[in-house]
Every structure is written in structure tokens, then in C-alpha cells.
């Protein structure tokens, strides 16, 4: 079933229900969320779950949490931590994906660029400043020994924006999740010249503080239901076929992705992992100060380990 065909049943939902708006990237990582929202498990409690795809990524989702346009967002760990330290009032209520995210380093197919090292003096396309595509370019620069103050960026919004920018075939880089961009590589539009994984669990679940204050028990229930759903899904025999069809990615690629992906199935969050993420962001000059791990999380909903 294609992703566009996944519809949320609204017929039985009363207009006076509380709607909890959830946002995330339209990518395979969020398949458990799509399934949970489709089931509307809190209908009998007067709560409607609504899902919105955000193709512009974590920077846009941080903005949505800041501006009360979303109640829950599934955001890249590094992007939210940076934004939270810079004033985002949201809090982490758990991990969504425990495994690293593998970023593909992409160039226009006819640019002549063969290695990531050749991109040192080229611009990098990003969805927006503060996004994962922006922050991970700094990590790439560190690995390559480049001067981060010399990095150049072009804001393109999303993957479609990168596709448009690549049409001139000039040397430029674009970091995006490797399996999401794989169809464009297969089509001969992008070349993937290298990969770089995150050194931390890749997705956190973030909630607005007001939602935490007013709907703590409901949030806990959503959290428990999501983790149960993620645990059930990973044991489906035909999962790779289902996700491949839903997201338009070859099944062989989804199988490879599933082998390296671990969805969270409980509310445990590693304090050391959050500290290490902050340490790296600080070392890269992406944050000016660190904060106590406890300031990043909703301690009522997270088991800090």
C-alpha cells in the first residue's frame, strides 16, 4: 500500500475531541507512528491523534514545537538538543530510533565528483539551518580535517529542493538519509560518494511542555502504545515488503535498512549518550554551552539510565 493511501479514519471522531498533532519526516523510520495514528487508539478517551508529514526535516519541526504548531515531533537527536539549549521549550519524552542514522553524501550524478574529499570548497545543500543536514556537515568536516568556518551552505528546504539544485550538475554536496535518497541514486540523478553515521541514537520524541503538564497520563499511554507497536512491527514476516511499497523504496534496500535499525521499545534514555551528543556539538562549535541532561527530558515520562 503506498504511503499516500494510508488515511486516518475520521468518521467516528467527535468535533469536541482533543486533537494531538504529531509531526515527523515522511520516511520509513516513522512507519510505527503511521500505523498507531491510523488505529486511533485513544478515541474512547476523547483524544484524536493527527499525523502530519514534514518534508523539511528537523529544523522545521523544532520551529513547529516552538510556535505551538505541533504537540509531538519526532526529531533528529542532535538537532533537537541544539535547539533546546537555544531556547526550545520542548522536552524529550523518549527515543524513537536507538540505532544511528546513516547519512549518504550525495553529489549531482554528472558533476564529476567521485569522493567526499573533493567537496571541501563546494557548497552543501541543507534543508534549513539547525537541521540534521546542516549539523552533520560539520561532523563530516571534522572527519575530513576541514575548517568548519569555511563551510558554505545553500538552503533548499527538502529533498525535492536538492533535486532541483542538482540540475546544474555543479560540484555540491547533500547529506540525507541514504535509503530515502536511494531511488534518486538508482534513477541516475544523485551519486552517493560516501556515508557518515551519527555517533548517537538518531530520533527522539519531543513534546511541548504544555502538553506534558496537562496530558501527562495520555502522553504516557501514547508512549506505551507506540513502543508496543514498534515491538510488534519488527516481528512481521513481510515487513520489508510492506515498507518498501509504502515508501517507494526497493525491498532489497529496506531489508538492508531493517538489519541496521532498532526502534525503541521502552522509555529508557541513556544519560551518557545525551552527554556525548552535547560534547560533540560543543566541540564542533554548534552549541555555545552545555546543559544538564535533566533539562533535556521530561523526567515524569523518561527513565534516565
Amino acid at each position: 500500500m503506498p504511503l499516500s493511501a494510508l488515511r486516518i479514519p475520521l468518521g467516528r471522531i467527535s468535533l469536541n475531541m482533543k486533537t494531538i498533532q504529531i509531526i515527523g519526516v515522511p520516511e520509513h523510520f516513522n512507519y510505527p507512528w503511521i500505523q498507531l495514528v491510523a488505529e486511533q487508539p485513544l478515541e474512547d478517551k476523547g483524544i484524536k491523534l493527527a499525523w502530519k508529514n514534514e518534508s523539511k526535516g528537523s529544523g522545521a519541526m523544532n520551529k513547529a514545537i516552538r510556535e505551538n504548531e505541533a504537540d509531538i515531533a519526532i526529531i533528529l537527536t542532535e538537532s533537537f538538543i541544539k535547539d533546546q539549549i537555544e531556547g526550545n521549550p520542548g522536552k524529550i519524552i523518549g527515543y524513537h530510533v536507538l540505532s544511528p542514522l546513516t547519512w549518504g553524501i550525495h553529489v549531482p550524478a554528472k558533476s564529476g565528483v567521485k569522493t567526499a574529499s573533493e567537496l571541501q570548497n563546494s557548497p552543501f545543500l541543507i534543508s534549513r539551518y539547525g537541521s540534521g543536514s546542516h549539523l552533520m556537515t560539520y561532523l563530516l568536516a571534522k572527519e575530513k580535517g576541514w575548517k568548519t568556518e569555511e563551510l558554505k551552505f545553500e538552503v533548499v528546504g527538502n529533498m525535492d529542493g536538492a533535486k532541483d539544485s542538482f540540475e546544474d550538475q555543479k560540484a555540491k554536496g547533500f547529506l540525507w538519509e541514504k535509503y530515502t535518497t536511494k531511488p534518486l541514486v538508482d534513477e541516475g540523478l544523485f551519486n552517493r560518494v560516501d556515508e557518515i553515521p551519527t555517533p548517537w541514537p538518531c530520533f527522539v520524541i519531543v513534546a511541548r511542555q504544555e502538553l506534558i503538564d496537562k496530558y501527562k497520563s495520555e502522553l504516557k499511554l501514547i508512549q506505551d502504545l507506540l513502543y508496543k507497536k514498534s515491538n510488534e512491527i519488527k516481528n512481521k514476516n513481510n515487513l520489508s515488503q510492506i515498507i518498501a511499497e509504502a515508501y517507494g523504496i526497493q525491498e532489497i534496500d529496506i531489508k538492508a535498512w531493517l538489519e541496521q535499525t532498532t526502534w525503541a521499545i521502552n522509555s529508557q534514555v541513556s544519560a551518557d549518550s545525551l552527554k556525548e551528543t552535547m560534547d560533540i556539538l560543543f566541540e564542533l562549535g554548534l552549541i555555545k554551552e552545555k546543559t544538564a541532561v535533566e533539562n533535556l527530558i521530561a523526567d515524569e515520562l523518561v527513565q534516565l539510565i
Side-chain angles (χ1 to χ4, degrees):
M1 180 187 296
L3 185 61
S4 60
L6 293 173
R7 293 288 183 263
I8 310 306
L10 301 178
R12 294 172 293 157
I13 296 177
S14 168
L15 293 177
N16 61 2
M17 278 194 167
K18 162 66 180 174
T19 297
I20 294 180
Q21 181 67 62
I22 308 165
I23 58 173
V25 290
E27 297 174 10
H28 35 291
F29 293 96
N30 286 327
Y31 183 73
W33 276 105
I34 295 293
Q35 296 304 298
L36 180 67
V37 172
E39 292 175 2
Q40 291 298 331
L42 301 185
E43 214 176 324
D44 60 348
K45 299 183 181 298
I47 293 176
K48 168 190 169 184
L49 303 182
W51 176 268
K52 178 185 176 184
N53 285 323
E54 180 46 81
S55 66
K56 294 182 178 179
S58 291
M61 287 187 279
N62 280 321
K63 182 174 181 289
I65 290 290
R66 280 177 176 265
E67 298 180 358
N68 299 330
E69 293 175 354
D71 298 304
I72 298 173
I74 297 80
I75 303 178
L76 290 170
T77 302
E78 67 273 23
S79 182
F80 175 70
I81 289 178
K82 172 179 166 59
D83 205 62
Q84 210 264 4
I85 289 173
E86 294 174 352
N88 191 319
K91 293 289 179 69
I92 295 170
I93 63 170
Y95 282 125
H96 175 46
V97 179
L98 295 173
S99 47
L101 185 143
T102 302
W103 293 80
I105 303 168
H106 305 89
V107 299
K110 298 178 182 178
S111 65
V113 175
K114 302 299 183 184
T115 68
S117 296
E118 296 173 53
L119 293 169
Q120 180 173 1
N121 299 312
S122 300
F124 281 83
L125 311 183
I126 60 175
S127 55
R128 65 187 296 149
Y129 287 96
S131 65
S133 53
H134 174 226
L135 304 186
M136 286 300 295
T137 304
Y138 281 82
L139 193 61
L140 173 64
K142 179 190 174 188
E143 284 196 2
K144 297 296 183 184
W146 303 340
K147 293 180 180 179
T148 55
E149 64 270 18
E150 295 180 359
L151 288 171
K152 300 183 287 290
F153 299 102
E154 176 186 337
V155 178
V156 296
N158 54 21
M159 195 165 66
D160 287 338
K163 183 179 173 182
D164 291 341
S165 179
F166 272 10
E167 287 182 355
D168 63 16
Q169 300 301 324
K170 293 180 179 179
K172 58 187 79 172
F174 176 57
L175 274 64
W176 210 258
E177 199 274 324
K178 64 175 283 188
Y179 293 106
T180 304
T181 54
K182 183 62 162 48
L184 294 174
V185 173
D186 293 339
E187 195 177 342
L189 299 175
F190 287 11
N191 274 351
R192 187 170 66 240
V193 295
D194 208 341
E195 301 173 4
I196 181 170
T198 61
W200 43 68
C202 59
F203 283 107
V204 289
I205 306 167
V206 174
R208 289 196 302 116
Q209 186 62 55
E210 183 182 1
L211 192 73
I212 296 169
D213 293 339
K214 292 184 177 181
Y215 295 93
K216 191 182 307 177
S217 60
E218 289 83 358
L219 266 178
K220 175 61 177 169
L221 187 54
I222 292 170
Q223 186 185 56
D224 290 343
L225 289 168
L226 173 72
Y227 290 143
K228 181 181 178 182
K229 178 66 66 180
S230 295
N231 193 40
E232 290 173 353
I233 283 173
K234 71 177 184 179
N235 295 316
K236 278 191 174 184
N237 292 330
N238 60 340
L239 181 60
S240 60
Q241 178 185 349
I242 293 170
I243 294 181
E245 291 176 357
Y247 291 89
I249 300 173
Q250 291 188 51
E251 186 175 358
I252 190 172
D253 294 324
I254 291 296
K255 284 182 176 179
W257 170 74
L258 285 169
E259 287 178 0
Q260 59 188 243
T261 299
T262 304
W263 281 303
I265 57 172
N266 59 49
S267 61
Q268 293 181 346
V269 170
S270 166
D272 286 343
S273 179
L274 293 178
K275 288 176 184 175
E276 288 167 7
T277 305
M278 278 192 286
D279 288 344
I280 293 171
L281 292 174
F282 187 79
E283 183 183 348
L284 293 172
L286 291 167
I287 55 175
K288 295 180 179 179
E289 61 182 0
K290 303 177 193 177
T291 189
V293 168
E294 290 76 13
N295 293 334
L296 298 172
I297 64 165
D299 55 11
E300 315 97 315
L301 295 164
V302 168
Q303 183 186 353
L304 203 61
I305 59 172

